Amino acid sequence: MAEKKEFEPFVYPQAHCIAGVDEVGRGPLVGAVVTAAVILDPNNPIEGLTDSKKLTEKKRNLLFDEIKEKALSWSLGRCEADEIDKLNILQATMVAMQRAVAGLSVQPDYVLIDGNKVPELPMAAQAVVKGDLRVAEISAASIIAKVTRDREMEVLDAEFPQYGFAKHKGYPTKAHFEALEQYGAIEQHRKSFKPVKRVLGLD
């Protein structure tokens, strides 16, 4: 019951269909920034939704499948490393969020976005700080985005095991810095990020 009470009763005049949006992967040095948009079905509730980072991997994976099965609509949006390098990470995140919302099979009339910035969208939208803890739709989006990106890092790890991507998921850890120094950067590294720039001699 405690998990249910965490969510605030967000009420929006004239909003009949609300999508939640969240991103994963702003901080890593490698790979895409991945966003998700989710419209939940009020008649088919999902227990245990919360910020994806607060869940065990096993629980996240179970909820990932349940959200995809029960949601009225869900969609992924992304910007790859080369787009991030061209746009900068904030703009790339906004573009990825636009792509996630555009990919929904049901058009929402209101969008709630985790954080404090809202991309340009064709419908009304609002940023919600700590939204992944406060809004069920955003929690669901955070789970879809995180599981998707984590699995992509596991695939990249199988191709480049020397970097340890399956463990650190591309984030700037000591092990990742050491691998960068030893092996250099791969195509999927974000060349505009300082540690990668330094290894490539671009700073």
Side-chain angles (χ1 to χ4, degrees):
M1 293 298 290
E3 282 171 341
K4 277 187 180 177
K5 289 177 186 173
E6 281 179 12
F7 294 121
E8 296 180 14
F10 280 86
V11 178
Y12 304 96
Q14 288 85 48
H16 303 291
C17 183
I18 294 172
V21 177
D22 200 3
E23 56 73 27
V24 172
R26 281 179 68 167
L29 307 177
V30 72
V33 59
V34 176
T35 63
V38 177
I39 300 171
L40 294 174
D41 182 352
N43 299 316
N44 209 353
I46 298 168
E47 296 289 333
L49 291 173
T50 188
D51 174 5
S52 61
K53 296 184 290 297
K54 294 188 176 294
L55 297 165
T56 62
E57 185 179 1
K58 182 181 178 185
K59 182 64 175 169
R60 268 198 307 270
N61 286 329
L62 288 169
L63 282 167
F64 177 82
D65 292 335
E66 191 176 355
I67 293 161
K68 290 203 298 180
E69 183 188 326
K70 290 184 174 179
L72 289 177
S73 183
W74 64 273
S75 171
L76 288 163
R78 56 195 297 117
C79 263
E80 303 298 340
D82 59 339
E83 291 181 281
I84 292 167
D85 291 335
K86 284 176 197 153
L87 295 170
N88 78 44
I89 187 60
L90 175 60
Q91 290 309 313
T93 302
M94 296 295 104
V95 168
M97 287 180 170
Q98 289 170 333
R99 289 170 178 169
V101 173
L104 289 165
S105 59
V106 177
Q107 175 145 327
D109 52 18
Y110 210 92
V111 179
L112 297 173
I113 293 166
D114 185 57
N116 58 9
K117 293 205 165 38
V118 177
E120 270 190 44
L121 293 168
M123 68 287 291
Q126 178 183 332
V128 183
V129 174
K130 294 191 177 172
D132 46 14
L133 283 170
R134 299 166 62 193
V135 180
E137 288 86 353
I138 297 177
S139 296
S142 82
I143 291 163
I144 293 286
K146 180 161 176 56
V147 172
T148 299
R149 191 178 191 284
D150 283 358
R151 289 178 180 177
E152 289 177 8
M153 286 295 104
E154 285 160 17
V155 170
L156 200 61
D157 182 78
E159 195 176 346
F160 301 99
Q162 67 271 34
Y163 290 90
F165 294 134
K167 284 186 180 170
H168 55 65
K169 305 298 189 285
Y171 283 87
T173 63
K174 185 170 180 279
H176 195 176
F177 287 142
E178 287 171 355
L180 264 174
E181 292 292 343
Q182 187 172 354
Y183 304 108
I186 61 172
E187 185 189 343
Q188 292 87 342
H189 272 107
R190 301 173 182 179
K191 315 296 190 291
S192 57
F193 281 40
K194 280 181 183 173
V196 183
K197 260 186 175 176
R198 191 174 63 245
V199 163
L200 295 172
L202 299 173
D203 56 355

Coordinates of all heavy atoms in Angstrom, one line a residue, residues 142-192:
S142 N 10.4 5.4 -16.9 CA 11.7 5.2 -16.4 C 12.2 3.7 -16.4 O 13.3 3.4 -16.8 CB 11.9 5.8 -15.0 OG 11.5 4.9 -13.9
I143 N 11.2 2.8 -16.1 CA 11.6 1.4 -16.1 C 11.8 0.9 -17.6 O 12.7 0.2 -17.9 CB 10.4 0.6 -15.4 CG1 10.4 0.9 -13.9 CG2 10.6 -0.9 -15.7 CD1 9.2 0.5 -13.2
I144 N 10.9 1.3 -18.5 CA 11.0 0.9 -19.9 C 12.4 1.4 -20.5 O 13.1 0.7 -21.1 CB 9.9 1.5 -20.7 CG1 8.5 0.8 -20.3 CG2 10.1 1.3 -22.2 CD1 8.4 -0.6 -20.8
A145 N 12.7 2.7 -20.2 CA 13.9 3.3 -20.7 C 15.2 2.6 -20.1 O 16.1 2.3 -20.8 CB 13.9 4.8 -20.4
K146 N 15.2 2.4 -18.8 CA 16.4 1.8 -18.1 C 16.6 0.4 -18.6 O 17.8 0.1 -18.9 CB 16.3 1.9 -16.6 CG 17.5 1.4 -15.9 CD 17.7 1.8 -14.5 CE 18.9 1.2 -13.8 NZ 20.1 1.3 -14.6
V147 N 15.6 -0.4 -18.6 CA 15.8 -1.8 -19.0 C 16.3 -1.9 -20.4 O 17.2 -2.7 -20.7 CB 14.5 -2.6 -18.8 CG1 14.7 -4.0 -19.4 CG2 14.2 -2.7 -17.3
T148 N 15.7 -1.1 -21.3 CA 16.1 -1.0 -22.7 C 17.6 -0.7 -22.8 O 18.3 -1.4 -23.5 CB 15.2 0.0 -23.5 OG1 13.9 -0.5 -23.4 CG2 15.7 0.0 -24.9
R149 N 18.0 0.4 -22.1 CA 19.4 0.9 -22.3 C 20.3 -0.1 -21.6 O 21.4 -0.4 -22.2 CB 19.5 2.3 -21.7 CG 20.9 2.8 -22.1 CD 21.1 4.3 -21.6 NE 22.3 4.8 -22.3 CZ 23.6 4.4 -21.9 NH1 23.8 3.6 -21.0 NH2 24.6 4.9 -22.6
D150 N 20.0 -0.6 -20.5 CA 20.9 -1.6 -19.8 C 21.1 -2.8 -20.7 O 22.2 -3.3 -20.8 CB 20.3 -2.1 -18.5 CG 20.4 -1.0 -17.4 OD1 21.0 0.1 -17.6 OD2 19.9 -1.3 -16.2
R151 N 20.1 -3.3 -21.3 CA 20.2 -4.5 -22.2 C 21.1 -4.1 -23.4 O 21.9 -5.0 -23.9 CB 18.8 -4.9 -22.7 CG 18.1 -5.6 -21.6 CD 16.7 -6.1 -22.0 NE 16.0 -6.7 -20.9 CZ 14.7 -7.2 -20.9 NH1 14.1 -7.1 -22.0 NH2 14.2 -7.7 -19.8
E152 N 21.0 -2.9 -23.9 CA 21.9 -2.5 -25.0 C 23.3 -2.4 -24.6 O 24.2 -2.8 -25.4 CB 21.5 -1.1 -25.5 CG 20.1 -1.1 -26.3 CD 19.7 0.3 -26.7 OE1 20.5 1.3 -26.6 OE2 18.5 0.4 -27.2
M153 N 23.6 -2.0 -23.3 CA 24.9 -2.0 -22.8 C 25.5 -3.5 -22.7 O 26.7 -3.7 -22.9 CB 25.0 -1.3 -21.5 CG 24.9 0.2 -21.6 SD 26.3 1.0 -22.4 CE 25.6 1.3 -24.0
E154 N 24.6 -4.4 -22.4 CA 25.0 -5.8 -22.3 C 25.4 -6.3 -23.6 O 26.4 -7.1 -23.8 CB 23.9 -6.6 -21.6 CG 23.8 -6.4 -20.1 CD 22.5 -6.8 -19.5 OE1 21.7 -7.5 -20.2 OE2 22.2 -6.4 -18.4
V155 N 24.7 -5.9 -24.7 CA 25.0 -6.3 -26.0 C 26.3 -5.7 -26.4 O 27.2 -6.4 -27.0 CB 23.9 -5.9 -27.0 CG1 24.3 -6.1 -28.5 CG2 22.6 -6.7 -26.8
L156 N 26.6 -4.5 -26.1 CA 27.8 -3.8 -26.4 C 29.0 -4.5 -25.7 O 30.1 -4.6 -26.2 CB 27.7 -2.3 -26.1 CG 28.8 -1.4 -26.7 CD1 28.6 -1.4 -28.3 CD2 28.6 0.0 -26.2
D157 N 28.7 -4.9 -24.4 CA 29.7 -5.6 -23.6 C 30.1 -6.9 -24.3 O 31.3 -7.2 -24.2 CB 29.1 -5.9 -22.2 CG 30.1 -6.5 -21.3 OD1 31.0 -5.8 -20.8 OD2 30.1 -7.7 -21.1
A158 N 29.2 -7.6 -24.9 CA 29.6 -8.8 -25.6 C 30.5 -8.6 -26.7 O 31.4 -9.4 -27.1 CB 28.3 -9.6 -26.0
E159 N 30.3 -7.4 -27.4 CA 31.2 -7.1 -28.5 C 32.5 -6.5 -28.1 O 33.6 -6.8 -28.7 CB 30.4 -6.0 -29.4 CG 31.0 -5.9 -30.8 CD 30.2 -4.9 -31.6 OE1 29.1 -4.6 -31.3 OE2 30.8 -4.5 -32.7
F160 N 32.5 -5.8 -27.0 CA 33.7 -5.1 -26.5 C 33.9 -5.4 -25.0 O 33.8 -4.6 -24.1 CB 33.7 -3.6 -26.7 CG 33.5 -3.2 -28.1 CD1 32.3 -2.8 -28.6 CD2 34.6 -3.1 -28.9 CE1 32.1 -2.4 -29.9 CE2 34.5 -2.7 -30.3 CZ 33.2 -2.4 -30.8
P161 N 34.2 -6.7 -24.6 CA 34.2 -7.1 -23.2 C 35.2 -6.4 -22.4 O 35.1 -6.3 -21.1 CB 34.5 -8.6 -23.3 CG 35.1 -8.9 -24.6 CD 34.5 -7.8 -25.5
Q162 N 36.3 -5.8 -23.0 CA 37.4 -5.2 -22.3 C 36.9 -3.9 -21.5 O 37.6 -3.5 -20.6 CB 38.6 -4.9 -23.2 CG 38.4 -3.9 -24.3 CD 37.8 -4.5 -25.6 OE1 37.0 -5.4 -25.5 NE2 38.2 -3.9 -26.7
Y163 N 35.8 -3.4 -21.9 CA 35.4 -2.1 -21.3 C 34.5 -2.2 -20.1 O 34.3 -1.3 -19.3 CB 34.6 -1.2 -22.4 CG 35.5 -0.7 -23.5 CD1 35.7 -1.4 -24.6 CD2 36.2 0.5 -23.3 CE1 36.6 -0.9 -25.6 CE2 37.0 1.0 -24.3 CZ 37.2 0.3 -25.5 OH 38.0 0.8 -26.4
G164 N 33.9 -3.4 -19.9 CA 33.0 -3.6 -18.7 C 31.7 -2.9 -18.8 O 31.1 -2.6 -17.8
F165 N 31.2 -2.8 -20.0 CA 29.9 -2.0 -20.2 C 28.7 -2.7 -19.4 O 27.8 -2.0 -18.9 CB 29.5 -1.9 -21.6 CG 30.5 -1.0 -22.5 CD1 30.9 -1.5 -23.7 CD2 30.9 0.2 -22.0 CE1 31.8 -0.7 -24.5 CE2 31.8 1.0 -22.7 CZ 32.2 0.5 -24.0
A166 N 28.7 -4.0 -19.3 CA 27.6 -4.7 -18.6 C 27.6 -4.3 -17.1 O 26.5 -4.2 -16.5 CB 27.8 -6.2 -18.7
K167 N 28.7 -4.0 -16.6 CA 28.8 -3.6 -15.1 C 28.5 -2.1 -14.9 O 27.6 -1.8 -14.1 CB 30.2 -3.9 -14.6 CG 30.4 -5.4 -14.3 CD 31.7 -5.6 -13.6 CE 31.9 -7.1 -13.4 NZ 33.2 -7.4 -12.9
H168 N 29.2 -1.2 -15.6 CA 29.0 0.2 -15.3 C 28.0 0.9 -16.3 O 27.7 2.1 -16.1 CB 30.3 0.9 -15.3 CG 31.2 0.8 -16.6 ND1 30.8 1.2 -17.8 CD2 32.4 0.2 -16.8 CE1 31.7 1.0 -18.7 NE2 32.7 0.3 -18.1
K169 N 27.5 0.2 -17.3 CA 26.5 0.7 -18.2 C 27.0 2.0 -18.9 O 26.1 2.8 -19.4 CB 25.2 1.0 -17.5 CG 24.6 -0.2 -16.7 CD 24.3 -1.4 -17.6 CE 23.5 -2.5 -17.0 NZ 24.3 -3.4 -16.1
G170 N 28.3 2.1 -19.1 CA 28.8 3.3 -19.8 C 29.0 4.5 -19.0 O 29.5 5.5 -19.5
Y171 N 28.7 4.5 -17.7 CA 28.9 5.6 -16.9 C 30.4 5.9 -16.6 O 31.2 4.9 -16.7 CB 28.1 5.5 -15.6 CG 26.6 5.8 -15.8 CD1 25.7 4.8 -16.2 CD2 26.1 7.1 -15.6 CE1 24.4 5.0 -16.4 CE2 24.7 7.3 -15.8 CZ 23.9 6.3 -16.2 OH 22.6 6.6 -16.4
P172 N 30.7 7.1 -16.2 CA 32.2 7.4 -16.0 C 32.7 6.9 -14.7 O 33.0 7.6 -13.7 CB 32.2 8.9 -16.0 CG 30.8 9.4 -15.6 CD 29.9 8.3 -16.1
T173 N 32.9 5.6 -14.6 CA 33.5 4.9 -13.4 C 35.0 4.8 -13.6 O 35.6 5.0 -14.7 CB 32.9 3.5 -13.2 OG1 33.3 2.7 -14.3 CG2 31.4 3.5 -13.1
K174 N 35.7 4.5 -12.5 CA 37.2 4.3 -12.5 C 37.5 3.2 -13.6 O 38.4 3.4 -14.4 CB 37.6 3.9 -11.1 CG 39.2 3.8 -11.0 CD 39.5 3.6 -9.5 CE 41.0 3.5 -9.4 NZ 41.5 2.1 -9.7
A175 N 36.8 2.1 -13.6 CA 37.1 1.0 -14.5 C 36.9 1.5 -15.9 O 37.7 1.1 -16.8 CB 36.1 -0.2 -14.2
H176 N 35.9 2.3 -16.2 CA 35.6 2.8 -17.5 C 36.8 3.7 -18.0 O 37.3 3.6 -19.1 CB 34.3 3.5 -17.6 CG 33.8 3.7 -19.0 ND1 32.6 4.3 -19.3 CD2 34.4 3.5 -20.2 CE1 32.4 4.4 -20.6 NE2 33.5 3.9 -21.2
F177 N 37.2 4.6 -17.1 CA 38.3 5.5 -17.4 C 39.6 4.7 -17.7 O 40.3 5.0 -18.7 CB 38.6 6.4 -16.2 CG 37.6 7.5 -16.0 CD1 37.2 7.9 -14.7 CD2 37.0 8.2 -17.1 CE1 36.3 8.9 -14.5 CE2 36.1 9.2 -16.9 CZ 35.7 9.6 -15.6
E178 N 39.8 3.7 -16.9 CA 41.0 2.9 -17.1 C 41.0 2.1 -18.5 O 42.0 2.1 -19.2 CB 41.2 1.9 -16.0 CG 41.7 2.5 -14.7 CD 41.6 1.6 -13.5 OE1 41.1 0.4 -13.6 OE2 42.0 2.0 -12.4
A179 N 39.8 1.6 -18.8 CA 39.6 0.9 -20.1 C 39.8 1.9 -21.3 O 40.4 1.6 -22.3 CB 38.3 0.3 -20.2
L180 N 39.3 3.1 -21.1 CA 39.5 4.2 -22.2 C 40.9 4.5 -22.4 O 41.4 4.6 -23.5 CB 38.7 5.5 -21.7 CG 37.3 5.7 -22.3 CD1 36.7 6.9 -21.6 CD2 37.3 5.8 -23.8
E181 N 41.7 4.6 -21.3 CA 43.1 4.9 -21.4 C 43.8 3.8 -22.0 O 44.8 4.0 -22.8 CB 43.7 5.2 -20.0 CG 43.2 6.4 -19.3 CD 43.7 7.7 -19.9 OE1 44.6 7.7 -20.7 OE2 43.1 8.8 -19.7
Q182 N 43.5 2.5 -21.7 CA 44.2 1.4 -22.2 C 43.8 1.0 -23.7 O 44.7 0.7 -24.5 CB 43.9 0.2 -21.3 CG 44.8 -1.1 -21.7 CD 44.6 -2.2 -20.7 OE1 44.0 -2.0 -19.6 NE2 45.2 -3.3 -21.0
Y183 N 42.5 1.1 -24.0 CA 42.0 0.6 -25.3 C 41.6 1.7 -26.2 O 41.3 1.5 -27.4 CB 40.9 -0.4 -25.1 CG 41.3 -1.5 -24.2 CD1 40.7 -1.6 -22.9 CD2 42.1 -2.5 -24.6 CE1 41.1 -2.7 -22.1 CE2 42.5 -3.6 -23.8 CZ 41.9 -3.7 -22.5 OH 42.3 -4.7 -21.7
G184 N 41.5 3.0 -25.7 CA 41.0 4.0 -26.6 C 39.5 4.0 -26.7 O 38.8 3.2 -26.0
A185 N 38.9 4.8 -27.5 CA 37.5 5.0 -27.6 C 37.0 4.1 -28.8 O 37.7 3.8 -29.7 CB 37.1 6.4 -27.9
I186 N 35.7 3.6 -28.7 CA 35.1 2.9 -29.8 C 34.1 3.9 -30.5 O 33.8 5.0 -30.0 CB 34.3 1.7 -29.3 CG1 33.2 2.0 -28.3 CG2 35.3 0.7 -28.7 CD1 32.3 0.9 -27.9
E187 N 33.5 3.5 -31.6 CA 32.6 4.3 -32.4 C 31.5 4.8 -31.5 O 31.0 6.0 -31.7 CB 32.1 3.5 -33.6 CG 31.2 4.3 -34.5 CD 30.6 3.5 -35.6 OE1 31.0 2.3 -35.8 OE2 29.6 3.9 -36.2
Q188 N 31.0 4.0 -30.6 CA 29.8 4.4 -29.8 C 30.1 5.3 -28.7 O 29.2 5.8 -28.0 CB 29.1 3.1 -29.2 CG 28.5 2.2 -30.3 CD 29.5 1.2 -30.9 OE1 30.7 1.4 -30.8 NE2 29.0 0.2 -31.5
H189 N 31.4 5.7 -28.4 CA 31.7 6.6 -27.4 C 31.3 8.0 -27.8 O 31.3 8.4 -29.0 CB 33.2 6.6 -27.1 CG 33.5 5.7 -26.0 ND1 34.2 4.5 -26.2 CD2 33.3 5.7 -24.7 CE1 34.4 3.8 -25.1 NE2 33.9 4.5 -24.1
R190 N 30.9 8.9 -26.9 CA 30.5 10.2 -27.1 C 31.7 11.1 -27.2 O 32.3 11.4 -26.1 CB 29.5 10.7 -26.0 CG 28.3 9.8 -25.9 CD 27.4 10.2 -24.7 NE 26.2 9.3 -24.6 CZ 25.3 9.4 -23.7 NH1 25.5 10.3 -22.7 NH2 24.3 8.5 -23.6
K191 N 32.1 11.5 -28.4 CA 33.4 12.2 -28.6 C 33.4 13.6 -28.0 O 34.4 14.2 -27.8 CB 33.7 12.3 -30.1 CG 33.5 11.0 -30.9 CD 34.4 9.9 -30.5 CE 34.3 8.7 -31.5 NZ 33.1 8.0 -31.4
S192 N 32.2 14.2 -27.7 CA 32.1 15.5 -27.1 C 32.3 15.5 -25.6 O 32.4 16.6 -25.0 CB 30.8 16.2 -27.5 OG 29.7 15.4 -27.1

